[in-house]
Amino acid sequence: MDSEGSCVQDDPDVKLMMAGSTLRKVKSRSWKKQRHFRLLEDSLTIWYKSRWVGKGHSTFSVTELEVVREGHQSEVLLSIADEFPADLCFTLVFHGRQGNLDLVAESPEEARAWIQGLRKLIHKVQTMDEQERLDQWVWDWFQKADKNKDGKMDFKEVKKLLKMMNVDMNEDHALHLFTMADKSGSGCLEIEQFVHFYQMLTQRDEVWRVFQDYSEDGERLMLEELENFLRIEQHEGDQSPQHAKELIERYEPSETAMKQVAMSLDGFQMYLCSPEGSIFNPDYLKLHQDMNQPLSHYFISSSHNTYLLEDQVVGQSSLEAYIQALKRGCRCVEVDCWDGSDGEPVVYHGHTLTSKILFKDIISTLKEYAFRASDFPVIVSLEDHCGVEQQTLMAQHLTQILGDMLLTAPLNGQIPQQLPSPQELRGKILLKAKKIGGLEECLDETLTDEVSDDEDTVDGDAESPGAEQPAEKGKKSKLSRELSDLVVYCKSVHFHGFEHTRSHYKCYEMSSFSESKAKRLAKEAGPEFVQYNAWQLSRTYPSGLRTDSSNYNPQEMWNTGCQMVALNFQTAGLEMDLNDGLFRQNGCCGYVLKPDFMRDGNTEFSPERPAEWLGYKPLRLSIKVISGQQLPKVNQKEGSIVDPLVRVEIYGVPQDQAKEETSYINNNGFNPVWNETLNFVIHTPELALVRFVVEDYDKASRNDFIGQFTLPFTCIQAGYRHIHLLSKDGTSIPPSSLFINISISELT
């Protein structure tokens, strides 16, 4: 077996990369250091070190790369543009939250070769099928373990490899498998024999048992047997016959079985590991929801203080933070504007030491990246602290840079009775900010250009929900008419209670709530908050005390129908897992249609008391956690092997919050088997998210995180399924997975 097929290695660009190049690694104007880079023989690993002598070196895999940008396409490279021409420069962008790598080559030809070579390798990795991916993984392990690089592996090297792979196996069994694979009796395994050894090692008894239950001869599943399996176990009903044929055509590797219209154990295992065998229903991964309803009927993926890459006090402000959020499908970004010392408005977290970036650079970045992940509208939440002059300059930047992308007038020129839909606003950028007057007035000059500063006051906690409140006697701030005119469907107003909003209803007005205020409203006036959010947009944001950029649980806000639940996208963890989980459906477009009972302005639904609602239909969720496959090592200490356990967490209305976990398995991250069943009752399935977490048990301290996967309850496929785990950062970690059996039934 060849690592990647010789065709890639024969490519002149890839050959140059394998020969190696000296490239400058750039971190800032003052930090530019030469490093020797080369592509290793596996055509997958980039190796680099600082000096020709010395031991220290670093590596990363092509699989970690998302894209290669050429020229001055990063803040760092733009800052040294006067020193290095664009045709020498390129930027490697990684998946997830890992920082970019900015590089400068010694000649344009060398830069070209690295840019084109890397792009070809990234393309190859992205188009691999499951089998090629697995072959690549096995090949990587062989390369790692073949210490003396003779293309063979003796038993001692195999034992070391098993430790590296997270397998704790007794020596006799390992030797038995080794001897069976060593057909030539040479005491060494070459790559083909090693593949055989690996196949014996990864034989899935638990999959074989399921296969045996439906296969009469134990060798293959005939078409009818596969249909039975799909109907009974996978709950597929009438579509089983057609689907069974398609699965054999798609996943059966054996020609013989194909001719018999049957499926072998290998084909069966490939199907179970494929997207169709995944826990996430593939029909819901694509764009499938009605996108023609008013904006207030959707949950909208939203980011808080989008410009920050780190914490809220001394962290770095960066255009890359906008690019990363938009790439994740974020559709509402925040811009905090302050007067710049040279007349140009700047963006940073006011009254802190966070670094500053130019407002116009952010708008240019938006123009470039707003619609790459989704063409549904982007809302720019503008927190404006500028004087009138720089506000007018901001308005000019917005109109000049964005052009037709910027929505500057109501659709059809009419005063709206309800908000337009995501479909009608495709490709448009909307401004959310304060506005002089409303859409109704013809903005005659008699209107004052002063607005009250009450919106977004840091908690308005004197306010009791539902009660009508007079506006605070807040200070007034002057607004630039030009900037105000650009606000159409998202006019920021202070919240004066539900009663006041109802009697002064304007669909284009919206309020922001701090997390503590939103939580209080949810508790004290849940049903009213749900009704309010059916016809009005609202945005929630993290408490000002979260200076470390930690997040609040967005589920509590979604339970009341809040559309824009703003999170610190730069902070990995549970809260962003939930956000990624909710917005993974519907083509990752950043808009998810709210359940029907949250779109009805007269709804009686209360998140605190779901059983009192007319459409109440609780469900029973039963999850049998069967086994895990090739879980990554957490502790890199020599010889340490994980003790994995699985925890299933439910997030939803307060009554649905629950956690159950399996026991832990000693010393086996390679193929642990639990066979334990966890049971839950889900009172409001339409709002529930299910999170699977795998941890390394530690009796002395906190368990270490191994991987997770989160999805909406409504997107679950019942039956025997695999869950492909994600890292803390939300990136995939193939081939790590869980094998489970899910059943969902009505609660009787």
Side-chain angles (χ1 to χ4, degrees):
M1 173 182 114
D2 179 17
S3 68
E4 263 291 66
S6 52
C7 56
V8 179
Q9 301 194 347
D10 292 342
D11 181 278
D13 295 328
V14 174
K15 273 187 169 156
L16 178 139
M17 292 167 66
M18 286 183 155
S21 303
T22 299
L23 306 171
R24 268 196 181 82
K25 180 179 169 184
V26 185
K27 286 189 181 176
S28 67
R29 272 190 80 90
S30 54
W31 198 104
K32 304 179 282 270
K33 300 199 174 164
Q34 291 196 324
R35 297 283 183 263
H36 185 66
F37 281 79
R38 68 187 168 92
L39 174 68
L40 299 186
E41 295 72 21
D42 63 359
S43 303
L44 214 68
T45 308
I46 310 279
W47 174 99
Y48 65 99
K49 62 183 288 192
S50 56
R51 290 185 305 279
W52 294 92
V53 293
K55 283 193 174 144
H57 72 270
S58 302
T59 60
F60 59 87
S61 167
V62 173
T63 57
E64 296 169 45
L65 290 176
E66 184 187 340
V67 78
V68 184
R69 297 187 201 151
E70 52 188 303
H72 299 139
Q73 285 204 59
S74 75
E75 287 157 289
V76 170
L77 290 176
L78 277 167
S79 73
I80 56 157
D82 52 347
E83 194 178 345
F84 298 107
D87 60 6
L88 299 181
C89 299
F90 57 104
T91 300
L92 306 189
V93 181
F94 292 83
H95 290 290
R97 294 178 178 81
Q98 191 179 332
N100 296 343
L101 188 54
D102 290 302
L103 300 169
V104 180
E106 294 186 333
S107 72
E109 296 71 35
E110 198 164 37
R112 202 79 227 117
W114 275 89
I115 291 165
Q116 290 175 338
L118 281 167
R119 282 178 177 166
K120 286 171 208 164
L121 294 174
I122 291 169
H123 177 73
K124 177 129 187 88
V125 164
Q126 287 172 345
T127 51
M128 276 188 203
D129 65 23
E130 286 302 311
Q131 192 51 52
E132 287 174 310
R133 229 175 270 276
L134 201 58
D135 290 347
Q136 179 66 55
W137 201 72
V138 178
W139 171 263
D140 290 350
W141 280 120
F142 186 79
Q143 296 281 84
K144 279 184 192 144
D146 182 15
K147 291 279 187 243
N148 58 4
K149 298 282 173 259
D150 63 354
K152 297 190 182 85
M153 207 180 300
D154 59 23
F155 185 57
K156 197 169 154 198
E157 285 176 315
V158 164
K159 279 199 310 191
K160 270 219 165 91
L161 172 69
L162 292 175
K163 276 269 194 292
M164 282 158 68
M165 288 174 115
N166 232 339
V167 186
D168 187 27
M169 184 181 281
N170 79 46
E171 195 158 325
D172 294 346
H173 185 52
L175 185 60
H176 171 65
L177 293 181
F178 182 88
T179 315
M180 280 171 70
D182 178 19
K183 291 207 169 62
S184 58
S186 64
C188 282
L189 303 183
E190 291 181 15
I191 181 69
E192 283 81 5
Q193 297 169 327
F194 175 70
V195 169
H196 182 52
F197 172 79
Y198 178 84
Q199 281 168 342
M200 290 192 287
L201 192 66
T202 51
Q203 208 162 358
R204 302 270 305 272
D205 290 344
E206 72 281 25
V207 173
W208 181 77
R209 270 189 215 102
V210 178
F211 183 81
Q212 291 294 312
D213 286 345
Y214 285 85
S215 163
E216 195 177 330
D217 66 359
E219 294 293 315
R220 59 192 177 275
L221 287 173
M222 299 314 288
L223 185 61
E224 197 181 333
E225 293 170 335
L226 182 55
E227 281 173 27
N228 288 340
F229 170 76
L230 294 177
R231 195 180 63 258
I232 297 164
E233 300 294 349
Q234 308 297 73
H235 310 277
E236 289 192 9
D238 298 342
Q239 61 193 34
S240 307
Q242 181 55 30
H243 198 205
K245 279 202 191 83
E246 287 166 9
L247 292 179
I248 291 171
E249 283 162 19
R250 210 166 294 158
Y251 300 111
E252 180 48 59
S254 146
E255 298 276 323
T256 325
M258 284 269 274
K259 285 197 183 96
Q260 299 170 327
V261 199
M263 190 177 252
S264 65
L265 177 58
D266 280 348
F268 186 63
Q269 192 161 315
M270 296 228 335
Y271 149 61
L272 284 176
C273 293
S274 76
E276 289 175 275
S278 151
I279 183 174
F280 205 117
N281 186 332
D283 292 342
Y284 295 153
L285 280 173
K286 43 186 189 261
L287 188 68
H288 67 280
Q289 294 180 341
D290 174 7
M291 302 307 285
N292 292 299
Q293 304 209 21
L295 281 179
S296 55
H297 288 186
Y298 298 84
F299 293 123
I300 303 172
S301 181
S302 304
S303 145
H304 170 247
N305 288 356
T306 314
Y307 46 87
L308 293 179
L309 275 175
E310 300 153 34
D311 67 54
Q312 309 276 317
V313 183
V314 293
Q316 184 190 353
S317 302
S318 168
L319 299 174
E320 289 298 332
Y322 284 91
I323 296 173
Q324 286 189 16
L326 291 165
K327 275 193 319 204
R328 287 183 102 99
C330 176
R331 298 287 86 190
C332 174
V333 296
E334 186 177 8
V335 182
D336 268 13
C337 282
W338 300 79
D339 279 336
S341 50
D342 61 353
E344 274 292 344
V346 292
V347 171
Y348 77 112
H349 198 194
H351 311 302
T352 67
L353 302 173
T354 57
S355 61
K356 299 178 171 122
I357 36 183
L358 292 177
F359 174 77
K360 63 178 180 186
D361 288 347
I362 290 177
I363 303 309
S364 299
T365 302
L366 267 178
K367 180 186 170 120
E368 179 81 13
Y369 287 93
F371 301 111
R372 291 211 183 167
S374 161
D375 55 1
F376 289 110
V378 168
I379 297 166
V380 176
S381 180
L382 190 62
E383 206 166 294
D384 174 17
H385 307 274
C386 295
V388 174
E389 271 177 40
Q390 292 199 18
Q391 286 180 36
T392 303
L393 192 54
M394 283 159 62
Q396 285 169 17
H397 287 324
L398 284 161
T399 48
Q400 284 166 9
I401 295 169
L402 296 177
D404 289 348
M405 274 186 184
L406 184 69
L407 188 85
T408 55
L411 300 176
N412 318 323
Q414 299 188 338
I415 304 301
Q417 295 313 301
Q418 64 170 27
L419 288 163
S421 70
Q423 183 65 33
E424 291 173 290
L425 294 168
R426 279 181 108 120
K428 291 292 182 194
I429 291 174
L430 281 64
L431 193 62
K432 168 195 168 301
K434 293 175 187 164
K435 182 174 180 69
I436 305 164
L439 291 177
E440 289 77 8
E441 295 90 352
C442 300
L443 285 189
D444 56 31
E445 293 304 317
T446 58
L447 260 174
T448 166
D449 54 3
E450 288 189 342
V451 292
S452 92
D453 264 1
D454 302 336
E455 208 256 339
D456 282 359
T457 46
V458 177
D459 249 357
D461 273 338
E463 201 167 305
S464 63
E468 195 171 324
Q469 290 272 326
E472 292 176 24
K473 299 283 179 282
K475 67 179 188 352
K476 302 277 185 186
S477 65
K478 277 201 175 284
L479 263 198
S480 142
R481 174 89 29 139
E482 288 84 345
L483 189 61
S484 165
D485 286 353
L486 299 180
V487 178
V488 184
Y489 291 118
C490 300
K491 175 187 174 180
S492 298
V493 297
H494 183 62
F495 177 71
H496 293 296
F498 295 123
E499 200 45 60
H500 179 275
T501 311
R502 199 174 289 122
S503 55
H504 297 76
Y505 174 62
K506 294 202 171 51
C507 70
Y508 57 80
E509 292 187 342
M510 63 171 293
S511 299
S512 288
F513 303 91
S514 72
E515 65 176 277
S516 56
K517 183 165 177 181
K519 277 181 188 170
R520 205 184 60 243
L521 287 173
K523 236 181 187 48
E524 295 172 11
E528 283 184 277
F529 207 1
V530 175
Q531 281 179 11
Y532 168 88
N533 284 320
W535 32 269
Q536 202 101 38
L537 284 172
S538 62
R539 177 176 174 274
T540 65
Y541 57 92
S543 151
L545 301 173
R546 295 182 181 273
T547 51
D548 58 351
S549 295
S550 62
N551 280 313
Y552 55 96
N553 184 332
Q555 186 69 48
E556 297 178 64
M557 314 303 169
W558 293 328
N559 286 343
T560 57
C562 292
Q563 299 85 356
M564 302 179 207
V565 179
L567 296 174
N568 290 304
F569 265 55
Q570 72 273 34
T571 307
L574 161 69
E575 298 81 11
M576 273 308 293
D577 291 346
L578 296 178
N579 200 71
D580 291 345
L582 177 69
F583 290 105
R584 190 169 279 118
Q585 63 186 315
N586 207 30
C588 293
C589 75
Y591 285 81
V592 166
L593 190 62
K594 297 200 281 191
D596 55 2
F597 55 81
M598 294 192 129
R599 309 196 300 262
D600 169 7
N602 301 312
T603 182
E604 295 297 311
F605 175 76
S606 163
E608 295 288 325
R609 295 181 297 284
E612 294 174 15
W613 168 61
L614 271 174
Y616 176 62
K617 274 202 192 76
L619 294 174
R620 191 184 294 286
L621 170 67
S622 179
I623 299 171
K624 184 178 187 183
V625 180
I626 303 169
S627 61
Q629 291 73 47
Q630 297 158 50
L631 305 175
K633 279 181 79 155
V634 192
N635 189 332
Q636 293 308 325
K637 279 211 300 274
E638 187 72 39
S640 89
I641 289 178
V642 299
D643 304 329
L645 64 85
V646 178
R647 186 169 57 253
V648 177
E649 304 170 345
I650 311 289
Y651 296 88
V653 296
Q655 229 176 319
D656 283 341
Q657 306 282 354
K659 293 178 184 182
E660 295 284 334
E661 63 185 40
T662 65
S663 49
Y664 66 91
I665 305 282
N666 260 325
N667 273 351
N668 185 353
F670 190 73
N671 53 3
V673 174
W674 290 278
N675 276 326
E676 292 181 39
T677 301
L678 310 175
N679 291 304
F680 302 91
V681 171
I682 314 284
H683 296 275
T684 311
E686 299 87 345
L687 285 173
L689 289 169
V690 184
R691 182 172 186 253
F692 294 83
V693 194
V694 186
E695 288 182 346
D696 179 11
Y697 174 76
D698 190 329
K699 60 177 182 293
S701 61
R702 270 182 67 173
N703 295 349
D704 284 324
F705 173 90
I706 293 176
Q708 70 84 30
F709 189 77
T710 306
L711 79 166
F713 177 85
T714 51
C715 295
I716 288 177
Q717 297 200 92
Y720 284 99
R721 303 291 170 192
H722 276 94
I723 296 171
H724 300 280
L725 295 172
L726 302 175
S727 69
K728 192 169 176 54
D729 210 18
T731 55
S732 64
I733 38 177
S736 302
S737 61
L738 293 176
F739 185 45
I740 56 172
N741 187 3
I742 290 193
S743 74
I744 296 170
S745 54
E746 285 185 17
L747 191 67
T748 44

